[in-house]
Amino acid sequence: YTDESMRSTVVPFRNGILLAIAIGYAESNGLDEVLIANHSGDHAIYPDCRWPFINAMCYAAGLGTYNHVSVLGPFSHLSKKEIADRGYAGGFDFTLTWSCYKGENFHCGTCGTCTERREALGANDPTIYAGGKNGHSRI
């Protein structure tokens, strides 16, 4: 899991595109806020996860919508581990989440996001991984 392999996961302006769609959806449905779940570990490699970008999208959304939709990044300053710890403390069911880039039936356990997921969820990881890494395994 190197800087180079992380760079291969960059989709240019992905969050800008997705936020624009979400902001339009919010406006169309009378909603005032859109949330993005970026985290502090994203900042180094993904320019559209950095706080200045999120702030700029919030500014643009406010100018471009009648009800001044806000974009919030409540996890921007937290690591994945800190987010997971808050989730565990709140009783969140992490089996309802997906991280893997491979798109198979089970998390691969080896791609970059699976590696980060295992590190963040730690010993309580309920994830079923294809390769038997941490959590539960399915072969």
Side-chain angles (χ1 to χ4, degrees):
Y1 192 53
T2 64
D3 285 348
E4 191 57 38
S5 67
M6 286 173 46
R7 285 192 200 286
S8 72
T9 67
V10 173
V11 177
F13 206 67
R14 173 182 57 184
N15 286 331
I17 294 164
L18 295 174
L19 283 171
I21 293 168
I23 291 163
Y25 182 86
E27 172 77 26
S28 297
N29 289 281
L31 304 171
D32 297 324
E33 296 175 336
V34 169
L35 282 80
I36 181 169
N38 62 314
H39 59 86
S40 65
D42 287 338
H43 298 177
I45 193 72
Y46 304 114
D48 59 351
C49 288
R50 297 176 188 147
W51 186 246
F53 176 82
I54 304 302
N55 205 27
M57 287 298 290
C58 183
Y59 182 72
L63 292 176
T65 57
Y66 288 111
N67 62 333
H68 308 290
V69 173
S70 293
V71 176
L72 307 174
F75 304 125
S76 293
H77 64 288
L78 299 174
S79 70
K80 275 192 175 184
K81 172 133 180 45
E82 290 169 321
I83 295 166
D85 290 345
R86 287 183 181 200
Y88 282 134
F92 185 78
D93 182 359
F94 285 100
T95 64
L96 301 175
T97 65
W98 188 264
S99 299
C100 187
Y101 282 135
K102 301 288 184 181
E104 301 293 332
N105 292 328
F106 302 98
H107 284 78
C108 73
T110 59
C111 72
T113 56
C114 280
T115 299
E116 286 185 347
R117 181 183 183 94
R118 287 193 331 263
E119 290 171 359
L121 296 179
N124 296 318
D125 186 356
T127 308
I128 297 173
Y129 294 103
K133 312 277 193 292
N134 231 5
H136 299 89
S137 64
R138 169 90 84 194
I139 298 183

